[in-house]
């Protein structure tokens, strides 16, 4: 009996994109309401909180979830899954206990920062975010793209509904609480499905095997983990180095422009990770799917780029209110950067496929240092906020071009262990 046919790459991409489009349509429809309930400073506080939460979430699982895609045998991948969940859960518990025993001391220490007493919510947010990422990689391996799409739609619905409710009720930190609720919904959907569908595989957890696999894939905690932290930090430096209002504008543009593009990129990214890893393992190269995906991403990104460049400020003023016109100026300045990010970010998984995590880490050191350098120079020279945004954008454009070119080179490398028709003799 022949093996069941795998879903095509195009079908997987369309499944993820459908859920992504719906998930992104929800906050976009809610945005004109939210801009009248929250001020730019609220978005600045929210961005600062999410910066810390995202960075700590990457630490929580040690980025070992990236290795879940790699083993040929399912029981090995399942052992890695459980190990990652245990590590993430333990890290979140430690943070929770630190906050608990610190009492009011820790929130008071953050009182003068943009995070404030929202520091109390870091532990549950990190547990949910890291758990979602770990389960996400397992479900990608199992090609359950429909479930991943559904979870994102429900997360968007929960966040949008809670944002509006908290805004009307004038609840402090409403944006943070809403995201926590939405992440609970999304992670709960994935956890429930995995616990039901894969309970047999999970029961076969072998700690010795998991530890051996963790050592085998130590490049991820050694290089991918610090690279992810540097990427998160560099991407949000404007929130930290600009004043609260300007940082809030940047955060808002990230939400209404970068987030939709990132979700589209992420949907394609999820399908690409599974396909590229499989092609490299079985066929010896993943250049064909890389090239096909690059062309698709260019077509997806060119229209938003032109709209932002030509109509950014008046479009923001019309949709979100005149007070947000400056956000359109920021979006216009960052448009080219967003376009190149849409192209380069998902394809950069090529670094992991061919085991170039060390080079990826070095690249991220440069990203963090160069980003901090151009913003700090602009600040010390007294440049206007928009000029600093321009420096930030140009620096990232250069970075994304280099990342794309290196990823393209890696996609053509041959895997000597492969046995398919594309493998080396």
């Amino acid at each position: 009996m022949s093996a069941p046919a795998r879903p095509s790459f195009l079908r997987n991409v369309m499944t993820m994109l459908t859920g992504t489009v719906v998930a992104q349509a929800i906050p976009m429809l809610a945005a004109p309401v939210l801009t009248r309930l929250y001020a730019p400073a609220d978005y600045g506080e929210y961005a600062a909180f999410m910066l810390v939460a995202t960075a700590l979430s990457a630490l929580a699982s040690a980025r070992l979830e990236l290795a879940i895609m790699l083993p040929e045998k399912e029981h090995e991948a399942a052992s890695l899954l459980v190990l990652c969940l245990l590590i993430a859960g333990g890290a979140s518990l430690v943070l929770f206990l630190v906050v608990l025993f610190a009492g009011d001391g820790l929130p008071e220490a953050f009182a003068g920062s943009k995070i404030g007493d929202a520091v109390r919510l870091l532990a549950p947010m990190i547990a949910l975010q890291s758990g979602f990422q770990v389960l996400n990689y397992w479900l990608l391996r199992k090609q359950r793209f429909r479930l991943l799409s559904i979870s994102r739609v429900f997360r968007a619905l929960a966040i949008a509904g809670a944002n509006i409710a908290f805004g009307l009720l004038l609840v402090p930190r409403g944006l943070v609480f809403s995201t926590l609720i939405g992440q609970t919904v999304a992670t709960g959907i994935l956890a429930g499905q995995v616990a039901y569908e894969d309970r047999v595989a999970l029961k076969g957890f072998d700690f010795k095997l998991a530890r051996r696999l963790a050592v085998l894939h130590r490049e991820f905690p050694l290089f991918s983990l610090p690279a992810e932290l540097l990427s998160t930090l560099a991407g949000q430096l404007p929130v930290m180095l600009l004043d609260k209002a300007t940082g809030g504008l940047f955060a808002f543009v990230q939400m209404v422009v970068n987030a939709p593009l990132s979700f589209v990129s992420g949907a394609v990214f999820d399908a690409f990770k599974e396909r590229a890893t499989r092609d490299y393992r079985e066929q010896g190269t993943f250049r064909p799917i890389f090239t096909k995906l690059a062309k698709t991403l260019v077509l997806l990104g060119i229209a938003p780029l032109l709209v932002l460049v030509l109509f950014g400020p008046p479009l923001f003023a019309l949709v979100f209110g005149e007070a947000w016109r400056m956000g359109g100026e920021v979006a216009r300045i960052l448009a080219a950067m967003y376009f190149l990010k849409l192209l380069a970010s998902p394809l950069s998984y090529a670094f992991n496929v061919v085991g170039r995590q060390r080079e990826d880490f070095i690249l991220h050191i440069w990203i963090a240092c160069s980003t901090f350098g151009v913003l700090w120079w602009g600040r010390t020279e007294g440049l206007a906020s928009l000029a600093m945004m321009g420096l930030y954008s140009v620096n990232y454009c250069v970075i994304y071009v280099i990342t794309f070119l290196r990823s393209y080179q890696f996609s053509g490398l041959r895997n000597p262990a492969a046995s398919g028709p594309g493998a080396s003799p």
Side-chain angles (χ1 to χ4, degrees):
M1 181 181 295
S2 60
R6 294 189 180 99
S8 69
F9 177 73
L10 180 60
R11 180 181 175 185
N12 291 338
V13 170
M14 290 307 299
T15 299
M16 294 300 294
L17 279 178
T18 299
T20 297
V21 169
V22 175
Q24 281 305 299
I26 294 168
M28 290 300 292
L29 291 173
V33 178
L34 298 182
T35 53
R36 289 158 175 86
L37 297 174
Y38 299 95
D42 294 320
Y43 284 98
E45 293 172 351
Y46 171 71
F49 173 83
M50 291 306 298
L51 168 62
V52 176
T54 302
L56 293 179
S57 296
L59 275 172
S61 58
R63 297 302 283 167
L64 273 173
E65 71 270 16
L66 294 170
I68 292 174
M69 302 282 292
L70 302 180
E72 291 189 21
K73 298 177 181 179
E74 182 170 300
H75 76 278
E76 293 181 346
S79 291
L80 278 173
L81 166 67
V82 177
L83 179 64
C84 288
L85 291 175
L86 290 174
I87 294 174
S92 302
L93 179 60
V94 169
L95 179 58
F96 173 77
L97 293 175
V98 169
V99 174
L100 179 65
F101 287 110
D104 294 331
L106 199 59
E108 288 176 0
F110 281 88
S113 72
K114 295 177 182 178
I115 299 177
D117 59 7
V119 67
R120 301 178 189 275
L121 302 175
L122 279 175
M125 181 68 81
I126 290 165
L128 291 166
Q129 283 190 322
S130 57
F132 182 87
Q133 285 301 318
V134 172
L135 295 169
N136 181 78
Y137 275 88
W138 171 260
L139 292 168
L140 287 176
R141 178 185 176 90
K142 304 291 285 186
Q143 299 192 39
R144 295 178 192 161
F145 298 97
R146 184 170 177 269
L147 177 63
L148 291 171
S149 294
I150 290 172
S151 70
R152 291 171 184 179
V153 171
F154 277 92
R155 176 171 60 186
L157 283 170
I159 292 175
N163 272 333
I164 294 173
F166 290 149
L168 291 172
L169 295 172
L170 302 178
V171 175
R173 319 269 182 200
L175 295 171
V176 174
F177 280 111
S178 300
T179 303
L180 186 62
I181 291 173
Q183 194 62 58
T184 301
V185 171
T187 306
I189 290 173
L190 299 192
Q193 183 71 9
V194 171
Y196 177 75
E197 293 286 345
D198 304 304
R199 56 188 180 278
V200 175
L202 297 178
K203 288 180 180 178
F205 172 64
D206 185 335
F207 179 76
K208 292 184 179 179
L209 173 62
R211 184 176 60 183
R212 187 164 66 249
L213 290 169
V215 173
L216 177 64
H217 297 294
R218 60 187 177 276
E219 294 87 357
F220 291 110
L222 287 177
F223 300 115
S224 295
L225 173 58
E228 178 69 16
L229 292 175
L230 289 172
S231 177
T232 301
L233 176 64
Q236 295 298 322
L237 275 174
V239 176
M240 302 170 63
L241 296 180
L242 297 175
D243 61 88
K244 184 180 287 189
T246 307
L249 285 174
F250 173 79
F252 181 72
V253 171
Q254 291 280 86
M255 186 187 78
V256 300
V257 177
N258 180 57
L261 292 177
S262 294
F263 270 92
V264 171
S265 172
V268 177
F269 183 30
D270 286 339
F272 176 67
K273 284 186 287 190
E274 188 277 329
R275 177 63 181 271
T277 303
R278 173 159 50 91
D279 282 1
Y280 188 66
R281 185 172 62 238
E282 298 177 358
Q283 305 299 323
T285 181
F286 56 100
R287 172 64 61 78
I289 197 62
F290 183 100
T291 304
K292 180 179 180 180
L293 184 54
K295 294 177 180 177
T296 302
L297 290 170
V298 169
L299 294 176
L300 286 172
I302 195 67
L305 169 67
L306 293 176
V307 169
L308 289 177
V309 170
L310 297 175
F311 310 109
L315 184 61
F316 268 61
L318 175 65
V319 176
F320 306 118
E322 187 62 34
W324 293 87
R325 179 179 289 272
M326 186 60 70
E329 294 287 356
V330 173
R332 172 184 279 171
I333 292 170
L334 300 178
M337 182 196 76
Y338 287 144
F339 173 75
L340 291 173
K341 179 181 180 180
L342 175 68
L343 178 63
S345 289
L347 298 174
S348 67
Y349 191 71
F351 283 80
N352 288 326
V353 175
V354 300
R356 297 298 181 95
Q357 290 90 348
R358 186 188 299 268
E359 180 177 339
D360 183 53
F361 175 50
I362 294 172
L363 177 62
H364 278 81
I365 293 176
W366 176 43
I367 292 172
C369 292
S370 62
T371 304
F372 180 82
V374 297
L375 288 177
W376 187 258
W377 178 83
R379 182 175 179 175
T380 55
E381 292 295 318
L383 296 184
S385 297
L386 292 183
M388 291 178 67
M389 286 289 92
L391 290 174
Y392 175 84
S393 180
V394 170
N395 183 61
Y396 259 98
C397 285
V398 174
I399 290 166
Y400 287 135
V401 168
I402 293 173
T403 301
F404 175 79
L405 293 177
R406 289 298 286 161
S407 299
Y408 178 76
Q409 291 177 326
F410 294 151
S411 71
L413 295 180
R414 296 289 178 174
N415 180 10
S419 58
S424 300

